[in-house]
Amino acid sequence: MNVREALPEEMAAVGELRVAAYRDLGLLEEGDPYTDSLRALGSDGRGEVLVAVEGERVVGTVLLVPWSESSEIARGPEEAEVRAFAVAPDAQGRGVGRALVRAVIASASGRGATRVVLSTQPPMLAAQSLYRAHGFVRTPERDWTPVPGVDLLTYALALTDRAACATPAPQAVAQG
């Protein structure tokens, strides 16, 4: 497996992977108005779309977005947001998510961020466990509800105290 920046011609596959992963978790129903937004995240060039690739197939993705006036939970230029983290349902449990989290942390650090923030939905238990395993801590003061019925939990990771942040993003990760 290789983790790298997405190629422009992969963005449609990235969008479909996100939708499939969210639907698999029961977080996105057919006709949900968020579907098109989820597919398109990062395709406007805002942020860095990372992908995990096995052979020719994209099996996971995550988006790193630097702070801006339109940031959802980042509060200043020292923070970057992680968004649209998704692993193909048939690729889960094989280290894809772990490789993506490591890569997005390394990328944020390399871009000068000192803190990484993210939102997750309560049913995303595997993702929350993965975030905690990498040092993210809950920040309930930032929890928010973008639309009625969608409650988001927030997590943050301080990069300044992490020696691992100086390590480049993994380019090849053994399956295990």
Side-chain angles (χ1 to χ4, degrees), residues 110-129:
R111 292 172 174 262
T114 59
R115 188 172 171 103
V116 178
V117 294
L118 60 87
S119 297
T120 185
Q121 294 186 42
M124 296 176 153
L125 298 176
Q128 292 167 37
S129 177

Side-chain angles (χ1 to χ4, degrees), residues 64-145:
L64 180 67
V65 182
W67 175 83
S68 74
E69 293 293 331
S70 63
S71 291
E72 293 179 337
I73 58 172
R75 294 185 175 160
E78 70 283 355
E79 294 186 341
E81 291 182 3
V82 172
R83 300 194 61 199
F85 176 64
V87 175
D90 65 342
Q92 293 177 7
R94 300 195 330 238
V96 175
R98 185 172 48 252
L100 286 165
V101 170
R102 288 179 183 155
V104 81
I105 290 169
S107 181
S109 180
R111 292 172 174 262
T114 59
R115 188 172 171 103
V116 178
V117 294
L118 60 87
S119 297
T120 185
Q121 294 186 42
M124 296 176 153
L125 298 176
Q128 292 167 37
S129 177
L130 185 62
Y131 301 143
R132 285 190 304 273
H134 284 85
F136 283 84
V137 295
R138 280 277 290 121
T139 52
E141 69 279 6
R142 293 189 189 201
D143 290 355
W144 62 299
T145 302

Side-chain angles (χ1 to χ4, degrees), residues 21 24 32 35 38 41 68 70 120 136 154 162:
D24 188 63
D32 188 308
T35 303
L38 184 62
L41 283 170
S68 74
S70 63
T120 185
F136 283 84
T154 61
R162 293 178 51 94

Side-chain angles (χ1 to χ4, degrees), residues 18-39:
R18 290 174 183 156
V19 169
Y22 279 57
R23 283 190 177 146
D24 188 63
L25 289 170
L27 301 173
L28 194 65
E29 295 180 16
E30 196 68 41
D32 188 308
Y34 184 59
T35 303
D36 290 338
S37 296
L38 184 62
R39 279 189 183 111

